[in-house]
Amino acid sequence: MIRTPSAPRPDWRARLDEVGFTFYDLPSEGGRPYWNEHAAYGFTSAEVDALEAATAELFARCMDAVEHVVRERRYAEFGIPTALHDLVGRSWDEDDPTVYGRFDLAYDGAGTISLLEFNADTPTSLVESAAAQWQWLRDTRGEASDQFNLLHELLVEQWAHIREARWGVAPGARLHLASLHDDGDGELIVEDADTVSYMAETARQAGFDVKQVFVEDLRYDLDGRRFLDADGEHVERIFKLYPWEWMAREQFAAFLEPTRHTTAWVEPIWKMLLSNKQLLVVLWELFPGHPNLLPAFESAAPFEAGGPLWGRHWVRKPRLGREGANVTVFDPRGGIVAEQPGPYDEDGFVYQQRAELARIDGRTAVIGSWVVGETPAGIDVRETGGPITGDLAEFVPHYIVPGRNVEEQR
């Protein structure tokens, strides 16, 4: 993996607008735009193959973990309300379909790939990963260039598979797609709206009649026992960019069971078991020593004096957190190296050995590795100046280095 300087396109903002990516100027570290094309990350074909293989392997082990949790009914460890335990299990057993997810991976640049977390329910960075960085590649490196990016094609294929084989509905069937409009301040959450708009386009190409709505406008008809949108239309099938852990604690959660066969949700509710960092603990319990996993526990005891992992750096992460919030990095003696404030400290923490992340030109890179259905679909790179990848990270496009193997790169 290399990081190379790159000259920004003179009209890069206008070009990004053309693919429906409009939040490129969100502030990042130092007030720079979130989208950064002053640099690019280059990967050899061998590295891409390794990332693809690790992603497929991790997805398979995650499926094993879900099966284990459902069979052993370990839902309480994930903070899932008791009233929803059976529904989560039924959703898994009846194989409710999934569209996508994103692993966050640590790559040390020398062959070690480790799981940091699985954004399996509401992953963002989609439009910039699928469309924006592909456009950048073609604009700056020409038609002969390549990157690991099959996202658009696979999303269309997966939506078509769900429509035809899983839901059995004809072309033109309605699909609602929802995101949260605002955080209470009335200002549109542009990142979520753009992400859902892009997902709607892939579903439209797969034959759905798409309708984009806001979560705040969904309501429940007590007499008809069904969910409705703001126009009073029955919501039969819906993609939502809204976390299940929030939905599970709202009053509408009581209506999920009676509408199980009248409203299909994507992502499905069984994904609560993957979007929770308690998954890291279960994975290490089931597959200790796995080359793509880091030791993870429910307490810090293994890393403290006298523990089996004493002398190693470790990280405390909230079970339900986003964008690095409430993450604390510790040195081998328990001293705080870095920490990030946030609102996600009420649902407990997990404790994971600190990963070795590539650090190039003073930047720390985390790789987002996408899965569509069960298939590895591409990667993105976000970078920061410090050890925690938070909401001020910058998105940097990538490319495959032509004719260069791993040994030559070293």
Side-chain angles (χ1 to χ4, degrees):
M1 181 170 67
I2 57 175
R3 186 179 188 272
T4 58
S6 180
R9 295 167 291 175
D11 58 346
W12 64 270
R13 287 181 173 84
R15 291 290 287 148
L16 294 176
D17 284 332
E18 292 173 13
V19 295
F21 173 37
T22 67
F23 53 94
Y24 40 74
D25 272 324
L26 286 177
S28 67
E29 293 180 340
R32 297 182 298 269
Y34 161 64
W35 173 267
N36 176 12
E37 56 182 70
H38 287 273
Y41 280 87
F43 295 85
T44 66
S45 294
E47 288 176 314
V48 168
D49 290 345
L51 288 165
E52 184 176 11
T55 299
E57 168 64 14
L58 285 168
F59 187 81
R61 300 293 73 77
C62 285
M63 296 302 98
D64 292 339
V66 174
E67 174 68 14
H68 170 79
V69 172
V70 170
R71 297 284 78 82
E72 300 298 321
R73 298 187 64 83
R74 295 175 63 176
Y75 307 115
E77 297 172 34
F78 289 75
I80 298 173
T82 303
L84 295 179
H85 288 186
D86 289 343
L87 185 60
V88 172
R90 193 174 307 120
S91 174
W92 170 253
D93 287 338
E94 296 180 7
D95 197 21
D96 288 350
T98 171
V99 173
Y100 76 145
R102 192 194 76 230
F103 289 105
D104 281 352
L105 304 178
Y107 177 52
D108 65 356
T112 301
I113 301 168
S114 304
L115 174 64
L116 298 174
E117 63 178 270
F118 191 8
N119 302 280
D121 183 19
T122 58
T124 52
S125 302
L126 179 64
V127 63
E128 52 268 48
S129 296
Q133 69 170 344
W134 182 258
Q135 180 202 66
W136 166 88
L137 183 78
R138 285 292 179 259
D139 284 353
T140 62
R141 294 179 175 266
E143 292 295 321
S145 59
D146 202 5
Q147 65 183 202
F148 182 24
N149 187 355
L150 302 171
L151 270 164
H152 188 89
E153 297 87 342
L154 290 176
L155 284 169
V156 174
E157 289 180 12
Q158 183 66 4
W159 276 121
H161 168 73
I162 290 173
R163 182 181 61 76
E164 298 165 0
R166 307 303 297 281
W167 290 341
V169 295
R174 175 73 91 188
L175 176 70
H176 286 79
L177 299 100
S179 63
L180 193 66
H181 181 275
D182 62 80
D183 290 319
D185 57 5
E187 294 292 326
L188 177 68
I189 304 174
V190 179
E191 180 180 3
D192 288 8
D194 280 6
T195 300
V196 171
S197 293
Y198 177 75
M199 187 65 85
E201 176 58 22
T202 64
R204 185 193 64 78
Q205 292 182 26
F208 282 104
D209 175 21
V210 298
K211 184 176 184 180
Q212 193 166 344
V213 298
F214 292 113
V215 171
E216 294 94 329
D217 293 332
L218 298 176
R219 57 193 178 92
Y220 185 73
D221 176 13
L222 286 170
D223 294 330
R225 294 188 175 185
R226 56 185 186 172
F227 285 100
L228 305 175
D229 66 17
D231 299 321
E233 181 181 338
H234 179 200
V235 178
E236 298 181 72
R237 294 164 292 273
I238 180 169
F239 168 87
K240 50 87 188 165
L241 195 70
Y242 188 74
W244 271 111
E245 67 263 24
W246 296 358
M247 293 175 64
R249 289 166 170 78
E250 296 172 349
Q251 63 175 358
F252 282 178
F255 307 130
L256 294 170
E257 176 70 38
T259 60
R260 167 151 178 77
H261 297 295
T262 57
T263 298
W265 297 89
V266 176
E267 295 296 313
I269 196 170
W270 62 261
K271 278 208 156 182
M272 290 183 77
L273 300 176
L274 296 178
S275 59
N276 185 312
K277 294 183 190 65
Q278 184 68 19
L279 171 72
L280 302 173
V281 176
V282 174
L283 283 169
W284 187 253
E285 174 189 324
L286 296 177
F287 309 107
H290 191 289
N292 299 129
L293 297 176
L294 296 162
F297 309 92
E298 290 188 289
S299 80
F303 299 103
E304 296 173 341
L309 299 179
W310 165 248
R312 304 191 191 186
H313 292 79
W314 47 284
V315 182
R316 185 180 67 191
K317 302 178 176 182
R319 284 192 175 92
L320 298 170
R322 287 171 172 76
E323 298 182 320
N326 297 102
V327 169
T328 305
V329 180
F330 295 89
D331 66 24
R333 295 189 174 277
I336 294 177
V337 175
E339 58 184 337
Q340 189 95 333
Y344 301 111
D345 57 354
E346 296 182 354
D347 293 292
F349 295 86
V350 301
Y351 301 81
Q352 184 184 46
Q353 182 177 310
R354 185 178 178 184
E356 293 295 330
L357 287 93
R359 189 159 176 84
I360 307 173
D361 298 335
R363 309 296 288 169
T364 301
V366 166
I367 296 172
S369 189
W370 293 88
V371 174
V372 175
E374 300 178 359
T375 305
I379 60 173
D380 62 50
V381 182
R382 287 165 296 142
E383 66 173 21
T384 58
I388 299 175
T389 303
D391 60 354
L392 295 180
E394 296 174 24
F395 189 104
V396 182
H398 83 277
Y399 63 97
I400 296 176
V401 181
R404 203 172 178 203
N405 62 37
V406 175
E407 292 303 318
E408 287 174 338
Q409 181 170 307
R410 291 176 185 167

mmCIF file of all heavy atoms in Angstrom, residues 25-59:
data_model
loop_
_atom_site.group_PDB
_atom_site.id
_atom_site.type_symbol
_atom_site.label_atom_id
_atom_site.label_comp_id
_atom_site.label_asym_id
_atom_site.label_seq_id
_atom_site.Cartn_x
_atom_site.Cartn_y
_atom_site.Cartn_z
ATOM 1 N N ASP A 25 -17.886 18.842 1.169
ATOM 2 C CA ASP A 25 -17.258 19.934 1.913
ATOM 3 C C ASP A 25 -17.484 19.860 3.418
ATOM 4 O O ASP A 25 -17.136 20.799 4.146
ATOM 5 C CB ASP A 25 -17.765 21.285 1.396
ATOM 6 C CG ASP A 25 -16.934 21.810 0.228
ATOM 7 O OD1 ASP A 25 -15.708 21.591 0.234
ATOM 8 O OD2 ASP A 25 -17.516 22.417 -0.695
ATOM 9 N N LEU A 26 -18.076 18.776 3.908
ATOM 10 C CA LEU A 26 -18.177 18.633 5.359
ATOM 11 C C LEU A 26 -16.786 18.771 5.969
ATOM 12 O O LEU A 26 -15.806 18.259 5.413
ATOM 13 C CB LEU A 26 -18.763 17.268 5.720
ATOM 14 C CG LEU A 26 -20.261 17.068 5.483
ATOM 15 C CD1 LEU A 26 -20.649 15.630 5.833
ATOM 16 C CD2 LEU A 26 -21.085 18.043 6.309
ATOM 17 N N PRO A 27 -16.664 19.466 7.088
ATOM 18 C CA PRO A 27 -15.319 19.720 7.630
ATOM 19 C C PRO A 27 -14.664 18.454 8.167
ATOM 20 O O PRO A 27 -15.319 17.600 8.768
ATOM 21 C CB PRO A 27 -15.579 20.728 8.749
ATOM 22 C CG PRO A 27 -17.002 20.499 9.152
ATOM 23 C CD PRO A 27 -17.718 20.100 7.902
ATOM 24 N N SER A 28 -13.363 18.356 7.944
ATOM 25 C CA SER A 28 -12.575 17.270 8.519
ATOM 26 C C SER A 28 -11.472 17.896 9.360
ATOM 27 O O SER A 28 -11.565 19.058 9.767
ATOM 28 C CB SER A 28 -12.006 16.383 7.406
ATOM 29 O OG SER A 28 -11.046 17.095 6.645
ATOM 30 N N GLU A 29 -10.429 17.150 9.631
ATOM 31 C CA GLU A 29 -9.337 17.668 10.441
ATOM 32 C C GLU A 29 -8.756 18.936 9.827
ATOM 33 O O GLU A 29 -8.530 19.014 8.615
ATOM 34 C CB GLU A 29 -8.237 16.611 10.555
ATOM 35 C CG GLU A 29 -8.650 15.377 11.337
ATOM 36 C CD GLU A 29 -7.531 14.362 11.424
ATOM 37 O OE1 GLU A 29 -6.602 14.420 10.601
ATOM 38 O OE2 GLU A 29 -7.590 13.525 12.323
ATOM 39 N N GLY A 30 -8.535 19.920 10.653
ATOM 40 C CA GLY A 30 -7.952 21.164 10.186
ATOM 41 C C GLY A 30 -8.881 21.983 9.314
ATOM 42 O O GLY A 30 -8.440 22.940 8.666
ATOM 43 N N GLY A 31 -10.169 21.623 9.292
ATOM 44 C CA GLY A 31 -11.130 22.367 8.492
ATOM 45 C C GLY A 31 -11.103 22.050 7.021
ATOM 46 O O GLY A 31 -11.783 22.702 6.224
ATOM 47 N N ARG A 32 -10.319 21.044 6.618
ATOM 48 C CA ARG A 32 -10.274 20.655 5.210
ATOM 49 C C ARG A 32 -11.556 19.936 4.821
ATOM 50 O O ARG A 32 -12.256 19.393 5.664
ATOM 51 C CB ARG A 32 -9.054 19.744 4.962
ATOM 52 C CG ARG A 32 -7.711 20.417 5.208
ATOM 53 C CD ARG A 32 -6.567 19.457 4.896
ATOM 54 N NE ARG A 32 -6.604 18.286 5.773
ATOM 55 C CZ ARG A 32 -5.972 18.213 6.944
ATOM 56 N NH1 ARG A 32 -5.288 19.257 7.387
ATOM 57 N NH2 ARG A 32 -6.032 17.115 7.674
ATOM 58 N N PRO A 33 -11.867 19.893 3.507
ATOM 59 C CA PRO A 33 -13.060 19.153 3.080
ATOM 60 C C PRO A 33 -12.930 17.662 3.374
ATOM 61 O O PRO A 33 -11.829 17.100 3.357
ATOM 62 C CB PRO A 33 -13.111 19.408 1.565
ATOM 63 C CG PRO A 33 -12.336 20.659 1.351
ATOM 64 C CD PRO A 33 -11.259 20.637 2.387
ATOM 65 N N TYR A 34 -14.068 17.042 3.612
ATOM 66 C CA TYR A 34 -14.124 15.599 3.874
ATOM 67 C C TYR A 34 -13.547 14.805 2.703
ATOM 68 O O TYR A 34 -12.808 13.839 2.886
ATOM 69 C CB TYR A 34 -15.582 15.214 4.137
ATOM 70 C CG TYR A 34 -15.914 13.756 3.985
ATOM 71 C CD1 TYR A 34 -15.351 12.797 4.829
ATOM 72 C CD2 TYR A 34 -16.822 13.332 3.017
ATOM 73 C CE1 TYR A 34 -15.676 11.460 4.699
ATOM 74 C CE2 TYR A 34 -17.160 12.003 2.887
ATOM 75 C CZ TYR A 34 -16.576 11.061 3.724
ATOM 76 O OH TYR A 34 -16.902 9.739 3.583
ATOM 77 N N TRP A 35 -13.901 15.189 1.474
ATOM 78 C CA TRP A 35 -13.361 14.525 0.289
ATOM 79 C C TRP A 35 -11.972 15.089 -0.005
ATOM 80 O O TRP A 35 -11.801 16.289 -0.178
ATOM 81 C CB TRP A 35 -14.287 14.739 -0.900
ATOM 82 C CG TRP A 35 -13.732 14.246 -2.203
ATOM 83 C CD1 TRP A 35 -13.020 14.974 -3.124
ATOM 84 C CD2 TRP A 35 -13.826 12.925 -2.741
ATOM 85 N NE1 TRP A 35 -12.670 14.190 -4.196
ATOM 86 C CE2 TRP A 35 -13.156 12.917 -3.983
ATOM 87 C CE3 TRP A 35 -14.415 11.738 -2.299
ATOM 88 C CZ2 TRP A 35 -13.069 11.779 -4.785
ATOM 89 C CZ3 TRP A 35 -14.320 10.606 -3.088
ATOM 90 C CH2 TRP A 35 -13.664 10.640 -4.316
ATOM 91 N N ASN A 36 -10.975 14.218 -0.076
ATOM 92 C CA ASN A 36 -9.597 14.658 -0.267
ATOM 93 C C ASN A 36 -9.018 13.972 -1.486
ATOM 94 O O ASN A 36 -8.707 12.777 -1.453
ATOM 95 C CB ASN A 36 -8.765 14.331 0.976
ATOM 96 C CG ASN A 36 -7.294 14.676 0.801
ATOM 97 O OD1 ASN A 36 -6.912 15.361 -0.156
ATOM 98 N ND2 ASN A 36 -6.467 14.211 1.721
ATOM 99 N N GLU A 37 -8.835 14.709 -2.571
ATOM 100 C CA GLU A 37 -8.160 14.127 -3.724
ATOM 101 C C GLU A 37 -6.793 14.770 -3.971
ATOM 102 O O GLU A 37 -6.280 14.756 -5.080
ATOM 103 C CB GLU A 37 -9.034 14.154 -4.974
ATOM 104 C CG GLU A 37 -9.567 15.498 -5.426
ATOM 105 C CD GLU A 37 -10.461 15.339 -6.665
ATOM 106 O OE1 GLU A 37 -11.575 14.795 -6.550
ATOM 107 O OE2 GLU A 37 -10.010 15.765 -7.735
ATOM 108 N N HIS A 38 -6.224 15.340 -2.901
ATOM 109 C CA HIS A 38 -4.826 15.768 -2.957
ATOM 110 C C HIS A 38 -3.888 14.562 -2.857
ATOM 111 O O HIS A 38 -2.679 14.703 -3.049
ATOM 112 C CB HIS A 38 -4.518 16.747 -1.818
ATOM 113 C CG HIS A 38 -5.116 18.107 -2.024
ATOM 114 N ND1 HIS A 38 -4.481 19.098 -2.736
ATOM 115 C CD2 HIS A 38 -6.299 18.629 -1.606
ATOM 116 C CE1 HIS A 38 -5.245 20.182 -2.755
ATOM 117 N NE2 HIS A 38 -6.354 19.926 -2.075
ATOM 118 N N ALA A 39 -4.451 13.412 -2.493
ATOM 119 C CA ALA A 39 -3.662 12.191 -2.370
ATOM 120 C C ALA A 39 -4.512 11.019 -2.836
ATOM 121 O O ALA A 39 -5.727 11.158 -3.058
ATOM 122 C CB ALA A 39 -3.209 11.985 -0.930
ATOM 123 N N ALA A 40 -3.876 9.881 -2.999
ATOM 124 C CA ALA A 40 -4.579 8.652 -3.354
ATOM 125 C C ALA A 40 -3.788 7.481 -2.796
ATOM 126 O O ALA A 40 -2.560 7.559 -2.637
ATOM 127 C CB ALA A 40 -4.730 8.529 -4.869
ATOM 128 N N TYR A 41 -4.493 6.401 -2.483
ATOM 129 C CA TYR A 41 -3.848 5.196 -1.994
ATOM 130 C C TYR A 41 -3.775 4.167 -3.109
ATOM 131 O O TYR A 41 -4.769 3.899 -3.794
ATOM 132 C CB TYR A 41 -4.616 4.612 -0.802
ATOM 133 C CG TYR A 41 -4.300 5.330 0.492
ATOM 134 C CD1 TYR A 41 -5.011 6.464 0.865
ATOM 135 C CD2 TYR A 41 -3.281 4.879 1.328
ATOM 136 C CE1 TYR A 41 -4.716 7.129 2.051
ATOM 137 C CE2 TYR A 41 -2.976 5.537 2.509
ATOM 138 C CZ TYR A 41 -3.692 6.657 2.868
ATOM 139 O OH TYR A 41 -3.386 7.317 4.029
ATOM 140 N N GLY A 42 -2.584 3.606 -3.297
ATOM 141 C CA GLY A 42 -2.384 2.591 -4.310
ATOM 142 C C GLY A 42 -2.203 1.222 -3.680
ATOM 143 O O GLY A 42 -1.458 1.062 -2.699
ATOM 144 N N PHE A 43 -2.896 0.222 -4.218
ATOM 145 C CA PHE A 43 -2.810 -1.157 -3.741
ATOM 146 C C PHE A 43 -2.358 -2.052 -4.886
ATOM 147 O O PHE A 43 -2.802 -1.872 -6.030
ATOM 148 C CB PHE A 43 -4.170 -1.647 -3.227
ATOM 149 C CG PHE A 43 -4.672 -0.925 -2.025
ATOM 150 C CD1 PHE A 43 -5.379 0.278 -2.149
ATOM 151 C CD2 PHE A 43 -4.456 -1.421 -0.748
ATOM 152 C CE1 PHE A 43 -5.857 0.953 -1.043
ATOM 153 C CE2 PHE A 43 -4.924 -0.753 0.367
ATOM 154 C CZ PHE A 43 -5.620 0.440 0.223
ATOM 155 N N THR A 44 -1.522 -3.014 -4.589
ATOM 156 C CA THR A 44 -1.166 -3.996 -5.594
ATOM 157 C C THR A 44 -2.331 -4.971 -5.781
ATOM 158 O O THR A 44 -3.216 -5.087 -4.920
ATOM 159 C CB THR A 44 0.065 -4.797 -5.184
ATOM 160 O OG1 THR A 44 -0.245 -5.582 -4.027
ATOM 161 C CG2 THR A 44 1.240 -3.878 -4.878
ATOM 162 N N SER A 45 -2.306 -5.685 -6.886
ATOM 163 C CA SER A 45 -3.334 -6.700 -7.124
ATOM 164 C C SER A 45 -3.302 -7.766 -6.037
ATOM 165 O O SER A 45 -4.355 -8.264 -5.618
ATOM 166 C CB SER A 45 -3.137 -7.337 -8.499
ATOM 167 O OG SER A 45 -3.350 -6.391 -9.527
ATOM 168 N N ALA A 46 -2.109 -8.112 -5.572
ATOM 169 C CA ALA A 46 -1.995 -9.107 -4.510
ATOM 170 C C ALA A 46 -2.642 -8.614 -3.219
ATOM 171 O O ALA A 46 -3.286 -9.375 -2.493
ATOM 172 C CB ALA A 46 -0.524 -9.454 -4.272
ATOM 173 N N GLU A 47 -2.479 -7.326 -2.920
ATOM 174 C CA GLU A 47 -3.101 -6.769 -1.717
ATOM 175 C C GLU A 47 -4.616 -6.756 -1.847
ATOM 176 O O GLU A 47 -5.344 -7.067 -0.886
ATOM 177 C CB GLU A 47 -2.566 -5.359 -1.465
ATOM 178 C CG GLU A 47 -1.132 -5.336 -0.969
ATOM 179 C CD GLU A 47 -0.609 -3.917 -0.819
ATOM 180 O OE1 GLU A 47 -0.817 -3.101 -1.728
ATOM 181 O OE2 GLU A 47 0.018 -3.632 0.214
ATOM 182 N N VAL A 48 -5.115 -6.408 -3.011
ATOM 183 C CA VAL A 48 -6.557 -6.431 -3.238
ATOM 184 C C VAL A 48 -7.087 -7.850 -3.068
ATOM 185 O O VAL A 48 -8.130 -8.078 -2.432
ATOM 186 C CB VAL A 48 -6.898 -5.877 -4.630
ATOM 187 C CG1 VAL A 48 -8.352 -6.167 -4.991
ATOM 188 C CG2 VAL A 48 -6.639 -4.373 -4.677
ATOM 189 N N ASP A 49 -6.375 -8.832 -3.606
ATOM 190 C CA ASP A 49 -6.795 -10.224 -3.445
ATOM 191 C C ASP A 49 -6.842 -10.615 -1.977
ATOM 192 O O ASP A 49 -7.764 -11.316 -1.527
ATOM 193 C CB ASP A 49 -5.838 -11.157 -4.195
ATOM 194 C CG ASP A 49 -5.955 -11.050 -5.707
ATOM 195 O OD1 ASP A 49 -6.962 -10.474 -6.180
ATOM 196 O OD2 ASP A 49 -5.035 -11.519 -6.405
ATOM 197 N N ALA A 50 -5.849 -10.159 -1.210
ATOM 198 C CA ALA A 50 -5.811 -10.485 0.216
ATOM 199 C C ALA A 50 -6.961 -9.827 0.968
ATOM 200 O O ALA A 50 -7.587 -10.448 1.842
ATOM 201 C CB ALA A 50 -4.469 -10.060 0.815
ATOM 202 N N LEU A 51 -7.254 -8.577 0.651
ATOM 203 C CA LEU A 51 -8.365 -7.880 1.292
ATOM 204 C C LEU A 51 -9.699 -8.547 0.933
ATOM 205 O O LEU A 51 -10.586 -8.699 1.782
ATOM 206 C CB LEU A 51 -8.372 -6.416 0.879
ATOM 207 C CG LEU A 51 -7.256 -5.558 1.477
ATOM 208 C CD1 LEU A 51 -7.131 -4.233 0.721
ATOM 209 C CD2 LEU A 51 -7.508 -5.300 2.962
ATOM 210 N N GLU A 52 -9.836 -8.943 -0.324
ATOM 211 C CA GLU A 52 -11.058 -9.622 -0.754
ATOM 212 C C GLU A 52 -11.230 -10.951 -0.024
ATOM 213 O O GLU A 52 -12.323 -11.280 0.462
ATOM 214 C CB GLU A 52 -11.019 -9.839 -2.263
ATOM 215 C CG GLU A 52 -12.281 -10.464 -2.831
ATOM 216 C CD GLU A 52 -12.237 -10.580 -4.339
ATOM 217 O OE1 GLU A 52 -11.160 -10.371 -4.933
ATOM 218 O OE2 GLU A 52 -13.283 -10.895 -4.936
ATOM 219 N N ALA A 53 -10.153 -11.720 0.075
ATOM 220 C CA ALA A 53 -10.223 -13.013 0.751
ATOM 221 C C ALA A 53 -10.528 -12.848 2.240
ATOM 222 O O ALA A 53 -11.327 -13.600 2.811
ATOM 223 C CB ALA A 53 -8.904 -13.771 0.566
ATOM 224 N N ALA A 54 -9.909 -11.858 2.879
ATOM 225 C CA ALA A 54 -10.161 -11.620 4.299
ATOM 226 C C ALA A 54 -11.605 -11.204 4.530
ATOM 227 O O ALA A 54 -12.236 -11.609 5.519
ATOM 228 C CB ALA A 54 -9.211 -10.548 4.829
ATOM 229 N N THR A 55 -12.142 -10.399 3.630
ATOM 230 C CA THR A 55 -13.536 -9.953 3.749
ATOM 231 C C THR A 55 -14.489 -11.129 3.640
ATOM 232 O O THR A 55 -15.440 -11.260 4.433
ATOM 233 C CB THR A 55 -13.837 -8.901 2.677
ATOM 234 O OG1 THR A 55 -12.969 -7.782 2.868
ATOM 235 C CG2 THR A 55 -15.282 -8.442 2.751
ATOM 236 N N ALA A 56 -14.256 -12.006 2.677
ATOM 237 C CA ALA A 56 -15.102 -13.191 2.521
ATOM 238 C C ALA A 56 -15.009 -14.092 3.748
ATOM 239 O O ALA A 56 -16.023 -14.621 4.236
ATOM 240 C CB ALA A 56 -14.700 -13.953 1.265
ATOM 241 N N GLU A 57 -13.804 -14.277 4.257
ATOM 242 C CA GLU A 57 -13.613 -15.098 5.436
ATOM 243 C C GLU A 57 -14.305 -14.497 6.659
ATOM 244 O O GLU A 57 -15.001 -15.203 7.413
ATOM 245 C CB GLU A 57 -12.113 -15.260 5.705
ATOM 246 C CG GLU A 57 -11.740 -15.840 7.058
ATOM 247 C CD GLU A 57 -12.205 -17.267 7.275
ATOM 248 O OE1 GLU A 57 -12.605 -17.941 6.291
ATOM 249 O OE2 GLU A 57 -12.190 -17.719 8.439
ATOM 250 N N LEU A 58 -14.155 -13.206 6.863
ATOM 251 C CA LEU A 58 -14.788 -12.559 8.014
ATOM 252 C C LEU A 58 -16.305 -12.618 7.915
ATOM 253 O O LEU A 58 -16.995 -12.824 8.921
ATOM 254 C CB LEU A 58 -14.307 -11.114 8.126
ATOM 255 C CG LEU A 58 -12.881 -10.936 8.656
ATOM 256 C CD1 LEU A 58 -12.403 -9.508 8.445
ATOM 257 C CD2 LEU A 58 -12.811 -11.315 10.139
ATOM 258 N N PHE A 59 -16.836 -12.444 6.717
ATOM 259 C CA PHE A 59 -18.289 -12.526 6.582
ATOM 260 C C PHE A 59 -18.777 -13.930 6.950
ATOM 261 O O PHE A 59 -19.777 -14.082 7.659
ATOM 262 C CB PHE A 59 -18.723 -12.181 5.159
ATOM 263 C CG PHE A 59 -20.210 -12.089 4.994
ATOM 264 C CD1 PHE A 59 -20.895 -10.941 5.352
ATOM 265 C CD2 PHE A 59 -20.933 -13.166 4.508
ATOM 266 C CE1 PHE A 59 -22.281 -10.856 5.224
ATOM 267 C CE2 PHE A 59 -22.315 -13.097 4.369
ATOM 268 C CZ PHE A 59 -22.996 -11.932 4.730
#
